[in-house]
Amino acid sequence: MQSRVLLVSNRLPVTLTRREQGLEVNPSVGGLATALKTVHGGGDSLWFGWSGLVSDAPEPEVAAALAPHRAVPIHITAAEVKAYYDGFCNGVLWPLSHYLLEKVQLDQSDDWPSYRAVNERFADAVAAQWRPGDLIWVHDYHLTLVPAMLRQRCPGARIGFFLHVPFPGPEIFRILPRRAEVLRGLLGADVIGFHTAGYAYSFAYSCSQLLGLELTGDVMYDDGRPVRVAAFPIGIDADEFAKRAATPEVKARVEALHQDSQGRTLILSVDRFDYTKGHVKRILAFEKLLQLRPELKEQLHVIQLVVPTREQVDAYADYRSVVNELVGRINGTFGSPTHALVHMLHRAVDFDELCALYAAADVMLVTPLRDGMNLVAKEYVASRIDDTGVLVLSEFAGAATELHEALLVNPYDLEGMAHAMLQAIEMQPFEQKLRMSGLRKTVHAGDVDQWARSFVDALEQQKPSDTQAVPSVALEQAMAIVTSAARLLLVLDYDGTLVEFSNSPRAATPDRELVEVLRRLSLRPGTSVHVVSGRSRDSLESFLGELDLGLHAEHGLWSRFERKGEWGARRPLPPGWLEPVRRRMERVVQRTDGSVLEVKSGALAFHYRATEPQLARRRLEELRLALRSDPQATEFEVLEGSRVFEVRPRGVNKGTVLPEVLAMAPGATVLAIGDDRTDESLFAALPPGAVGVHVGGGQTLARYRVSGVAAVRSLLKRIADTVLAAPTALAR
Ligand code: GDG
């Protein structure tokens, strides 16, 4: 890690408390502070976050108390604790990320404005300290808007975001009314990290479904800027747990715990007292086990360490009373005056005590209903230095994707869980060893240093986007030539260039702003405007037919050179292969939700913008294979554009239009703009000196690049606004 890192998270690694004698500073409890120890430990980093104190304005003494910890406080008001923290973070995003829809509180109108305001405050504070070369690493669901806010404030910054909770399935995420803002906020980052590939996939899917963005490999282009979306499973400081477990102090505590258990099997769970952690189902499953095997009540000793959390949020209070009642019921039914079966410890313990509990427990139950990763599972494994013990792990914890040798359970299946508990209790030492040694290897190999390093490396490697790499000065110079040219020929693609993509090709109609700029350009002296599109004649005619433009449909198969002019074809039509291929593609569309077949006179386009990406991938494979072996395959070619799979006559491409339109405007300066693979043939056919502009990211033959439709329109407006002082009469 070479660069200075600015860490940004809701809470700081230290917590302040007001005492009579002044401010007291204590380390914050929780995984994040430990996880980022290597990044914040020795180096030249700064950490931005809330100190835990409530205040209406920044307080200089708070900043002074935190300065030695290289921590920068973000003040939070009492109203914001309610609306931002308890409300939108923990009343909406937290339950939604954990699939607990009945707990999602969407009825508080202040929550979102407060969430946005606090995110703004974070972004302002970070931007004030950011220097070129710094890396910014934002953490978790409290701050999803910060990356985009920072991108606005420091456009050249390298920004990473890591989500510690699950990214829910797209159909769950869609419920969030502010879903698009949240996605846009995250997309301000260069690297977005998740615990598992599954969460990364859900995020990418949501971006595709809600914003129309596509993931290629692990990169998504947002307005031309590459955003890497990948899994970086968090680890723990495994060596530290192993080292502590071997100390005489911890060993003595383990011995004492064994004595307390009087030879019984010790079953442990450690979690914040949070409804996602699955206490209720776990206890019910345990009750089932006792009903199944009542004799076990004498042989077992259960310790549940429940760490107080979010005590102000209503849903938590209800949850706590349900759990406490259940434990009372079990102890009442199965316990005896001398042996309370289930012990609840309602407090945090110190690190040695935690290691001792891990090292003493014969069985560890980690059974959350959903969990981003779950560090407790990994900590238990790292503490089992003699390779004994059994981990029972929920398949809905991110850790389950790595810890294959655990006994995986579905926490909603009480009977299944009861059986897994029994299997764990009865597991023979040789099997324990086999499983635990495998788990320990995994946990040590992917420890927290490796996690932090791999994320920071990914961020450091992220090159500035192509958009930024192309010097805007160069495009400026080219535009100066374009706007001052006596004769100007504009050759423009339509979808993705002049208008944004929409789920149905029919819906991408030109808006008033576009019609107006094209009209002004068409009237501009010395200027000819041609739109070259993959669309059909009817579609172009209905969208732009009233304007005095050259229109070229089906990638140049058809052309109309002036308003109300006749359309002429460059090839005889229809081609013989069209009908059988159309029937085949129609059958595919019938079986593919969200897809549309566009039938043109000489081409067929399978649009799958609204199709579930994996299904689309399967259908494309099927089509590719089928068409490759078509008897008339030499007559047509397949062109894959942005969520469109097009079959068209071989040798017809947008570039074939150019010689004709150039002949009609001899000596003109050419400006060609396009976003898609189909526009590359246009760029390839440009004469020397022409200005080719590619819209968005990815490889291109064009010499210049702009970020998106809005940027194209602003170029076109500039041309329309620049009317030459002494226009020459020109052939148009
Ligand atoms: C979020 C995600 C993800 C607990 N009790 C005591 C104590 N702890 C420590 C544990 C562990 C941490 O707190 C809890 O981490 P988890 O991962 O289990 O759960 P969350 O707090 O929900 O964390 C989660 C994590 O972020 C990291 O990305 O894994 O999925 O929900 O480190 O040891 N520590 C001490 N005494 C206690 O009594 N000292």
Side-chain angles (χ1 to χ4, degrees):
M1 295 168 204
Q2 301 292 312
S3 330
R4 185 171 81 141
V5 185
L6 308 185
L7 295 163
V8 192
S9 66
N10 176 59
R11 291 303 292 265
L12 286 170
V14 287
T15 299
L16 293 187
T17 321
R18 281 186 221 281
R19 302 270 179 230
E20 266 177 29
Q21 57 276 31
L23 292 170
E24 187 182 294
V25 187
N26 287 303
S28 301
V29 183
L32 194 62
T34 328
L36 294 173
K37 216 166 53 192
T38 38
V39 182
H40 192 55
D44 174 29
S45 57
L46 280 181
W47 194 322
F48 298 75
W50 177 35
S51 68
L53 295 176
V54 171
S55 69
D56 287 337
E59 295 173 295
E61 68 274 21
V62 169
L66 291 170
H69 303 270
R70 280 179 284 118
V72 181
I74 310 294
H75 79 273
I76 294 193
T77 68
E80 285 164 350
V81 171
K82 204 162 168 294
Y84 149 78
Y85 185 67
D86 294 343
F88 201 73
C89 292
N90 293 321
V92 177
L93 291 178
W94 175 266
L96 190 82
S97 309
H98 293 84
Y99 292 71
L100 294 167
L101 299 188
E102 75 284 0
K103 297 236 169 12
V104 177
Q105 305 268 316
L106 285 170
D107 45 359
Q108 303 300 318
S109 56
D110 289 349
D111 292 359
W112 172 256
S114 176
Y115 183 79
R116 208 175 36 209
V118 173
N119 274 244
E120 293 270 6
R121 196 172 305 145
F122 269 84
D124 286 338
V126 178
Q129 300 277 349
W130 175 79
R131 304 191 297 239
D134 287 349
L135 301 179
I136 303 175
W137 189 1
V138 184
H139 289 264
D140 227 358
Y141 63 101
H142 315 86
L143 302 176
T144 59
L145 308 180
V146 168
M149 290 171 172
L150 279 170
R151 176 72 50 213
Q152 268 186 345
R153 289 159 173 78
C154 335
R158 271 175 301 177
I159 305 168
F161 181 91
F162 188 84
L163 187 69
H164 291 262
V165 295
F167 193 93
E171 291 306 307
I172 298 280
F173 183 71
R174 251 174 118 176
I175 291 168
L176 185 67
R178 298 298 179 162
R179 60 208 188 173
E181 282 103 318
V182 168
L183 293 180
R184 288 241 152 268
L186 293 171
L187 285 166
D190 297 297
V191 178
I192 307 179
F194 300 89
H195 286 307
T196 72
Y199 306 154
Y201 175 75
S202 292
F203 171 74
Y205 189 141
S206 290
C207 288
S208 141
Q209 186 185 49
L210 301 169
L211 306 179
L213 299 181
E214 218 171 333
L215 190 70
T216 314
D218 61 0
V219 174
M220 195 178 274
Y221 286 94
D222 180 35
D223 225 359
R225 192 174 50 79
V227 180
R228 180 156 175 226
V229 175
F232 299 86
I234 197 169
I236 56 157
D237 189 346
D239 290 342
E240 184 60 20
F241 277 91
K243 216 162 66 196
R244 283 295 180 98
T247 59
E249 297 80 11
V250 170
K251 283 187 163 166
R253 272 303 295 147
V254 171
E255 194 44 46
L257 283 163
H258 281 151
Q259 270 174 16
D260 286 352
S261 306
Q262 297 173 338
R264 296 186 175 97
T265 299
L266 180 59
I267 302 180
L268 176 70
S269 64
V270 174
D271 342 67
R272 284 188 299 105
F273 211 162
D274 191 295
Y275 53 75
T276 62
K277 300 290 180 183
H279 301 85
V280 171
K281 305 249 182 250
R282 187 189 305 155
I283 296 164
L284 289 173
F286 184 62
E287 188 179 40
K288 241 183 206 331
L289 170 68
L290 294 173
Q291 285 160 352
L292 213 69
R293 297 280 296 271
E295 74 281 8
L296 286 178
K297 68 182 184 208
E298 283 307 326
Q299 299 162 28
L300 304 178
H301 181 199
V302 179
I303 297 181
Q304 292 216 95
L305 177 62
V306 282
V307 184
T309 186
R310 300 176 197 164
E311 306 216 291
Q312 305 314 315
V313 181
D314 291 345
Y316 285 72
D318 298 344
Y319 182 70
R320 282 193 295 272
S321 58
V322 171
V323 174
N324 291 334
E325 225 169 85
L326 267 177
V327 170
R329 184 169 92 193
I330 293 195
N331 282 339
T333 313
F334 298 97
S336 69
T338 52
H339 175 45
L341 201 55
V342 181
H343 285 258
M344 296 280 282
L345 296 181
H346 289 271
R347 62 187 159 86
V349 297
D350 67 21
F351 188 55
D352 272 2
E353 183 67 14
L354 185 68
C355 288
L357 283 166
Y358 287 147
D362 303 293
V363 175
M364 180 80 201
L365 301 181
V366 180
T367 61
L369 303 179
R370 286 277 157 182
D371 216 331
M373 171 57 75
N374 195 295
L375 300 178
V376 166
K378 293 187 171 183
E379 292 167 1
Y380 174 68
V381 167
S383 310
R384 306 304 304 184
I385 48 179
D386 60 358
D387 284 341
T388 60
V390 185
L391 173 64
V392 177
L393 177 63
S394 163
E395 60 189 65
F396 298 126
T401 58
E402 296 177 87
L403 303 183
H404 307 295
E405 294 90 347
L407 294 184
L408 293 186
V409 292
N410 170 0
Y412 292 88
D413 170 11
L414 301 185
E415 215 152 294
M417 264 213 284
H419 280 108
M421 288 179 191
L422 186 61
Q423 189 186 346
I425 292 163
E426 293 180 340
M427 191 179 285
Q428 294 304 304
F430 79 91
E431 186 179 349
Q432 292 184 20
K433 197 177 173 93
L434 216 63
R435 287 176 182 268
M436 193 51 79
S437 58
L439 290 169
R440 285 182 61 220
K441 274 195 199 103
T442 307
V443 167
H444 279 272
D447 72 355
V448 70
D449 277 359
Q450 192 270 338
W451 169 75
R453 222 177 309 113
S454 64
F455 190 92
V456 172
D457 283 354
L459 193 52
E460 276 184 328
Q461 279 159 23
Q462 193 73 1
K463 301 249 176 350
S465 72
D466 291 337
T467 320
Q468 289 153 2
V470 172
S472 50
V473 182
L475 179 58
E476 275 306 306
Q477 284 164 358
M479 283 304 290
I481 295 169
V482 166
T483 47
S484 60
R487 291 176 175 200
L488 182 59
L489 173 60
L490 301 181
V491 187
L492 310 170
D493 166 49
Y494 183 74
D495 295 273
T497 300
L498 296 179
V499 294
E500 300 286 359
F501 283 109
S502 76
N503 278 348
S504 156
R506 277 189 291 277
T509 50
D511 50 276
R512 195 179 295 178
E513 180 195 59
L514 176 64
V515 172
E516 180 54 21
V517 72
L518 290 176
R519 192 188 61 75
R520 288 175 58 213
L521 286 169
S522 71
L523 296 175
R524 186 179 184 269
T527 309
S528 329
V529 187
H530 292 263
V531 173
V532 189
S533 163
R535 283 178 174 267
S536 69
R537 282 167 296 166
D538 286 354
S539 162
L540 283 185
E541 192 74 59
S542 69
F543 284 177
L544 304 170
E546 288 308 307
L547 295 170
D548 199 3
L549 311 173
L551 295 181
H552 308 270
E554 301 190 27
H555 302 287
L557 184 60
W558 293 93
S559 290
R560 176 209 95 162
F561 289 94
E562 60 202 1
R563 184 166 165 264
K564 301 215 187 297
E566 282 290 307
W567 285 91
R570 289 198 169 74
R571 291 278 180 97
L573 288 164
W577 52 264
L578 192 84
E579 196 43 31
V581 174
R582 182 183 67 76
R583 282 199 299 273
R584 185 188 289 282
M585 291 176 83
E586 250 164 19
R587 285 197 296 276
V588 171
V589 166
Q590 276 160 11
R591 290 183 292 121
T592 311
D593 267 7
S595 73
V596 188
L597 183 66
E598 193 188 351
V599 181
K600 311 182 210 180
S601 62
L604 299 157
F606 171 63
H607 294 269
Y608 54 91
R609 190 157 292 276
T611 300
E612 192 277 319
Q614 294 220 11
L615 176 64
R617 219 167 290 147
R618 286 208 304 279
R619 295 296 189 254
L620 291 180
E621 268 308 302
E622 182 184 327
L623 276 173
R624 278 185 212 118
L625 263 174
L627 294 181
R628 223 174 283 152
S629 53
D630 189 285
Q632 300 184 76
T634 51
E635 303 281 312
F636 58 77
E637 62 187 1
V638 169
L639 198 96
E640 297 197 31
S642 173
R643 310 275 180 101
V644 59
F645 177 98
E646 178 142 15
V647 189
R648 59 180 193 177
R650 197 171 283 275
V652 170
N653 63 53
K654 290 184 179 177
T656 55
V657 171
L658 261 185
E660 228 167 310
V661 294
L662 270 172
M664 296 168 74
T669 297
V670 184
L671 169 66
I673 314 182
D675 71 302
D676 202 335
R677 290 228 337 244
T678 62
D679 299 310
E680 292 303 306
S681 54
L682 187 62
F683 297 136
L686 287 176
V691 177
V693 180
H694 174 78
V695 185
Q699 291 208 320
T700 181
L701 294 171
R703 281 181 54 203
Y704 305 95
R705 202 186 279 271
V706 292
S707 58
V709 169
V712 172
R713 290 192 182 189
S714 95
L715 287 186
L716 295 180
K717 273 190 218 147
R718 270 171 64 189
I719 299 169
D721 289 344
T722 324
V723 178
L724 298 179
T728 341
L730 278 174
R732 301 191 53 241

